[in-house]
């Protein structure tokens, strides 16, 4: 993830985009150009606050254009129930503060083989799609954008997307006089040859989108997913995990991660971010097939299946055996 090449970047601008979303602009202290990146990339911030002892590792998509390298721009949503990283960035980080930032991680982006594109972003999950959308429009590729959120007040990127997509932007509010679930089958539509789907948002939204895509005949190889939330979904299937070294077995229920279950059982496993970005919790898989939830692949290849990040990833098989 490029964590070994962290550099200190200075906050050069900070502004509120909504009640809960703040945009931070980061630049090199010597103001030289930053490393180039592909639209859709993210950076990983390592947050350490001596005053409170807070240590957190958080991934944020780059929302600035890939052509603008004098600064990186990110949008941070304040998570009240999170581990404190976003609250620190909201409450304690002002212009002038230096932050430790990884090189851009290019785990998500426009598929070069696609002939047309459907981008689907929910809530703060819209952020990795912004620079991709602008790149697609610039290159004249056929593309459509669906932006889902609770209300306009919580969706600060509507205007930016409308300028770029015009009529091809569909905005869906889920809280207009009550709460409604978006009709994902209708939003996605039937699969068309050469069309690729990109989705980012809360875990439940991503999982429902993938299910709707499968129902409507989309090929898995045309689905691209960016997940930043470590929260498990209650729609997840339960599975059993066996620890080969201690010969113990546990059931991992929906809504809990392997890391949660092992932690509850008092089994020490290293971890840090709990969001699938730092790699601290990576375990070797001896048997079974993991369902990776830390990267973009909807269907991992065989070579991806020997290791897994147990803070977010689950299982495609009823049982997993880990070298723990
Ligand atoms: S704890 Fe960071 S990837 Fe799992």
């Amino acid at each position: 993830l490029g964590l070994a090449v962290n550099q200190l970047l200075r906050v050069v601008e900070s502004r509120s985009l909504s009640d809960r979303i703040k945009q931070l602009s980061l630049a090199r202290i010597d103001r030289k150009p930053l490393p180039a990146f592909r639209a859709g990339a993210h950076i990983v911030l390592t947050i350490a606050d001596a005053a409170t002892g807070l240590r957190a590792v958080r991934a944020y998509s780059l929302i600035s254009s890939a052509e603008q390298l004098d600064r990186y721009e990110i949008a941070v949503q304040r998570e009240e129930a999170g581990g404190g990283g976003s609250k620190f960035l909201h409450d304690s980080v002002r212009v002038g503060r230096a932050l430790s930032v990884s090189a851009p991680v290019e785990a998500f982006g426009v598929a070069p083989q696609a002939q047309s594109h459907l981008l689907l972003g929910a809530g703060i999950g819209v952020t990795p799609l912004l620079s991709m959308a602008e790149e697609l429009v610039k290159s004249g590729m056929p593309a459509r954008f669906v932006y889902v959120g609770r209300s306009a007040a919580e969706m600060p990127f509507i205007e930016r997307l409308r300028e770029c997509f015009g009529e091809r932007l569909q905005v869906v509010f889920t809280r207009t006089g009550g709460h409604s679930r978006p009709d994902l089958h209708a939003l996605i539509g039937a699969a068309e040859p050469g069309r690729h789907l990109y989705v980012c948002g809360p875990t439940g939204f991503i999982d429902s989108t993938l299910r709707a895509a499968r129902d409507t005949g989309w090929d898995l190889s045309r689905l691209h997913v960016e997940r930043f939330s470590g929260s498990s979904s209650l729609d997840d299937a339960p599975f059993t995990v066996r620890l080969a070294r201690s010969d113990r077995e546990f059931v991992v229920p929906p809504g809990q991660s392997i890391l949660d279950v092992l932690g509850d059982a008092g089994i020490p496993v290293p971890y840090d971010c709990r969001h699938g970005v730092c790699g601290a919790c990576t375990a070797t898989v001896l048997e079974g097939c993991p369902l990776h939830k830390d990267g973009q692949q909807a269907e991992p290849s065989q070579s991806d299946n020997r290791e897994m990040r147990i803070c977010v990833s689950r299982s495609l098989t009823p049982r997993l055996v880990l070298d723990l």
Side-chain angles (χ1 to χ4, degrees), residues 1 6-7 27 38-39 69 73 75 88 100 102 115 125 142 150 159 168 181-182 230 256 264-265 267 288 299 312 314:
L1 283 174
N6 271 17
Q7 56 181 327
R38 244 178 97 214
L69 294 176
E73 290 169 357
F88 175 76
S100 174
S102 77
Q115 284 150 23
R150 287 194 275 203
E159 276 322 303
R168 289 174 299 144
R181 278 175 181 264
Q256 276 199 290
D264 288 349
I267 294 169
E299 188 177 47
V312 288
R314 300 185 67 82

Side-chain angles (χ1 to χ4, degrees), residues 11 17 25 27 34 39 46 72 78 84 101 113 119 147 149 174-176 200-201 253 260 265 274:
V11 177
L17 299 182
S25 303
L34 290 153
T46 302
Y72 290 153
R78 188 185 168 92
V101 178
Q113 70 277 27
L119 295 87
Y147 184 8
T174 58
R175 190 189 276 169
T176 336
C200 184
D260 293 334
R274 302 185 78 103

Side-chain angles (χ1 to χ4, degrees), residues 259 270-282 309-312:
L259 186 66
Y271 67 88
D272 187 359
C273 68
R274 302 185 78 103
H275 281 67
V277 294
C278 73
C281 67
T282 302
R309 295 179 179 189
I310 62 169
C311 61
V312 288

